[in-house]
Amino acid sequence: MQYVLLIYGDEKAWEARDERDREANMEAHAKFSAMLREHNALLGGEELAGSSSATTVRNVDRVGVTDGPFAETAEQLGGYYVIEAADLDTAIGFARQLPEPIVEVRPIVMHPEADS
Amino acid sequence: MAEDSLQDAFVAAARVWPEQGVPDRPAAWLWTTAYRRALDRMRKEEADARRLPLLIADPVPAADQAEPGEDADVPDERLRLLFACCHPALRADARAALMLRFVAGLSTAEIARLFLVSEPTMAARLTRAKAKMAVAGIPLRAPSAEDLPDRLDVVLKVIYLIFTEGYRATTGPELIRPRLASEAIRLAYVVGELLPAEPRTAALLALMLLQHARRDARLGPAGELVLLPDQDRTLWRHDEIARGVSLLGLLEAVPMPGEYHLQALIAAEHAKPPPTDWTRIARLYAELERRDPSPMIRLNRAVAVAESGSPEAGLALLDGLDAALRDSHLLPTVRAELLSRLGRRAEAVAAFDAALALVRTDPERDHLNRRRAEQS
């Protein structure tokens, strides 16, 4: 079996945290990743940029591309891809080709020295 | 202005073409030259008007001035900015603010005044939008040829949104903000200059010129709303109407008039000396509704049908609009006027009351109160 663990949290509280909290959390995540690696359980994972940077692509109606995260309650998260794209327009171009009605496009936070 | 500028362009063409040969796309070339000359004139006309407030305003911080847009005279650069500022992944209000800042080159303080928000609020809105552009990876480039039609639609929609907020403010003590509307017209000239071969831009420009030309006649001495039939036509800017009409003349060859084009044709009909051809206007609205079945278009069609001699038919067209236009005072206002015309006074009073409960600008409220009082 493979699973995806999706982390939810209060973005405002996250942004308001001081540097020490932030670093402690990063360390905890590094420990968690190491633990998963020990169990050969880590397949991938990334930190996502804030929801204000999200764009929603609707392949079902004429609305098309809209600002912000997908925020309906009827539909639930059903899967995800991690892709490489030069910019948002390229990423939207890929999202349009997904055989799915609604796709949220959210940038991944690049940590320059995350693996060191 | 447009027809003068076009005339200039033709004169320039006559001078240049015999020497350099006819360009591959003479029509596009003519449009570019015409748009550019119109912009040059607007800049000249506005230079004096702008210099005055600059003398009393605080100096613009150097960092603010160094941002792109101000001196971005390279068309490619401005084209890239235009599409980045109107990216569909940005919020609608952010797009409008970004356009005015980076394409029209207004200062943050000026934009804040135009949208009736404080300067820090507008600065924060612009900062958030720029952060989204950076973090989300909104590219600073023109869209692909495949995406261009849709993306130009967004650009034109942003411009028309800026215009309509100036033409008919949704909140505040003033009913119109002419400066906001004229900035929208200037933006449309800029877009026309950058993408001259797009009839939709010229159609939107014609529409805005024709509507804006009536600005001085739309408010009475006390700031009250004056409806079109009661307007003092000598206050209309007939030179601007002529510009809009001549743009429409140039668009006659367009096989399938788009939505802005149809609306501009309606505005042109209204700008003609009376009697107004309401039958033609009703037909244009019916065509518009066929393209875009929106409740506001249906509402306008109902008015046109009523004016063309059948208030009953107009009233019937209002059926089924209540749910879609629940928050707008315009539906009960139109219903009240049609009921009043049919002599159904009690029902008209009730409809005026419904309109008064929803109206948000002071001049319109005064107008509705006056009309309600006239029913008894």
Side-chain angles (χ1 to χ4, degrees):
Chain A
M1 296 282 288
Q2 290 186 353
Y3 296 96
V4 58
L5 308 183
L6 302 164
I7 302 161
Y8 291 88
D10 182 343
E11 285 182 344
K12 283 215 177 82
W14 173 264
E15 278 162 20
R17 294 185 326 168
D18 61 24
E19 201 52 38
R20 199 187 301 168
D21 280 354
R22 233 176 260 262
E23 275 171 24
N25 184 263
M26 292 286 276
E27 263 171 50
H29 274 283
K31 245 184 223 171
F32 179 78
S33 305
M35 181 273 289
L36 288 179
R37 267 192 212 99
E38 268 172 42
H39 290 84
N40 285 326
L42 185 64
L43 298 175
E46 306 287 354
E47 178 189 351
L48 298 184
S51 60
S52 65
S53 68
T55 301
T56 300
V57 179
R58 283 161 215 266
N59 292 326
V60 274
D61 46 35
R62 287 188 59 214
V63 178
V65 177
T66 53
D67 163 63
F70 180 67
E72 298 293 323
T73 46
E75 289 87 357
Q76 294 297 336
L77 190 64
Y80 81 108
Y81 283 89
V82 178
I83 60 161
E84 175 72 42
D87 54 41
L88 182 62
D89 284 1
T90 313
I92 289 171
F94 289 132
R96 284 219 182 97
Q97 295 173 52
L98 258 177
E100 302 295 343
I102 293 154
V103 185
E104 182 183 322
V105 180
R106 184 94 74 92
I108 282 170
V109 174
M110 303 308 282
H111 293 289
E113 290 159 45
D115 291 323
S116 64
Chain B
M1 186 186 299
E3 83 280 17
D4 297 345
S5 309
L6 225 101
Q7 199 49 50
D8 291 350
F10 279 117
V11 171
R15 238 181 271 133
V16 171
W17 286 354
E19 293 160 32
Q20 300 174 359
V22 178
D24 288 345
R25 294 160 64 204
W29 188 85
L30 274 175
W31 280 110
T32 310
T33 312
Y35 283 126
R36 192 164 300 150
R37 278 167 201 249
L39 275 171
D40 285 347
R41 272 174 213 199
M42 282 186 96
R43 281 189 201 114
K44 235 179 276 166
E45 284 165 13
E46 281 173 18
D48 294 329
R50 284 186 188 219
R51 213 163 284 140
L52 206 59
L54 273 179
L55 292 174
I56 46 169
D58 293 331
V60 186
D64 209 27
Q65 246 170 355
E67 293 190 75
E70 224 97 339
D71 299 307
D73 279 335
V74 186
D76 274 0
E77 187 56 29
R78 290 174 82 191
L79 199 63
R80 285 200 286 268
L81 270 168
L82 177 73
F83 284 106
C85 292
C86 287
H87 199 281
L90 294 166
R91 286 160 50 114
D93 61 348
R95 289 181 209 144
L98 287 168
M99 280 279 273
L100 290 169
R101 180 72 191 86
F102 297 112
V103 182
L106 303 194
S107 73
T108 305
E110 284 177 299
I111 304 167
R113 273 200 297 279
L114 289 176
F115 283 107
L116 308 179
V117 299
S118 73
E119 193 178 337
T121 302
M122 183 49 72
R125 189 180 297 174
L126 285 165
T127 303
R128 265 200 311 276
K130 282 191 284 182
K132 161 102 193 201
M133 288 170 107
V135 178
I138 289 176
L140 196 62
R141 62 174 157 87
S144 64
E146 183 196 357
D147 283 344
L148 185 70
D150 282 352
R151 293 289 304 276
L152 182 65
D153 272 348
V154 179
V155 170
L156 298 180
K157 210 176 275 177
V158 170
I159 293 174
Y160 197 43
L161 184 90
I162 294 171
F163 179 82
T164 49
E165 190 53 32
Y167 179 77
R168 188 185 201 104
T170 48
T171 53
E174 293 168 299
L175 203 56
I176 59 175
R177 284 179 240 154
R179 177 72 203 289
L180 198 54
S182 70
E183 284 301 339
I185 289 173
R186 207 155 75 95
L187 279 169
Y189 274 119
V190 172
V191 175
E193 188 188 24
L194 295 171
L195 296 165
E198 291 290 344
R200 279 175 298 172
T201 310
L204 174 60
L205 198 46
L207 170 62
M208 295 192 298
L209 284 169
L210 287 163
Q211 290 181 328
H212 195 49
R214 295 200 301 263
R215 61 192 170 282
D216 297 332
R218 292 177 60 225
L219 295 187
E224 79 277 14
L225 184 72
V226 182
L227 294 180
L228 200 122
D230 306 324
Q231 285 173 10
D232 176 357
R233 287 170 180 246
T234 61
L235 294 177
W236 290 1
R237 309 280 178 111
H238 291 279
D239 52 337
E240 296 177 14
I241 290 171
R243 275 169 221 162
V245 169
S246 75
L247 274 172
L248 282 174
L250 294 167
L251 287 169
E252 252 170 20
V254 175
M256 273 282 283
E259 285 158 31
Y260 295 130
H261 194 164
L262 288 166
Q263 288 189 56
L265 288 170
I266 292 167
E269 206 58 58
H270 282 306
K272 283 182 189 165
T276 306
D277 186 351
W278 283 105
T279 309
R280 174 167 154 79
I281 292 175
R283 209 165 51 232
L284 287 166
Y285 269 120
E287 176 63 22
L288 202 53
E289 198 188 355
R290 203 174 61 77
R291 305 280 180 82
D292 173 20
S294 95
M296 282 309 291
I297 290 169
R298 167 69 71 90
L299 186 66
N300 280 294
R301 187 182 153 207
V303 173
V305 166
E307 290 290 346
S308 71
S310 1
E312 296 93 342
L315 204 55
L317 281 170
L318 300 181
D319 289 346
L321 291 183
D322 293 82
L325 295 177
R326 205 174 35 220
D327 299 326
S328 169
H329 65 287
L330 293 174
L331 175 61
T333 302
V334 168
R335 183 171 283 141
E337 291 293 350
L338 298 191
L339 287 165
S340 167
R341 194 166 305 182
L342 289 166
R344 290 156 65 174
R345 306 223 156 180
E347 287 168 275
V349 167
F352 276 120
D353 285 338
L356 280 161
L358 292 166
V359 73
R360 281 191 292 181
T361 66
D362 299 337
E364 283 175 297
R365 182 172 298 113
D366 295 343
H367 172 79
L368 286 170
N369 272 318
R370 215 166 41 246
R371 288 292 296 135
R372 187 190 182 280
E374 284 166 11
Q375 301 308 309
S376 43

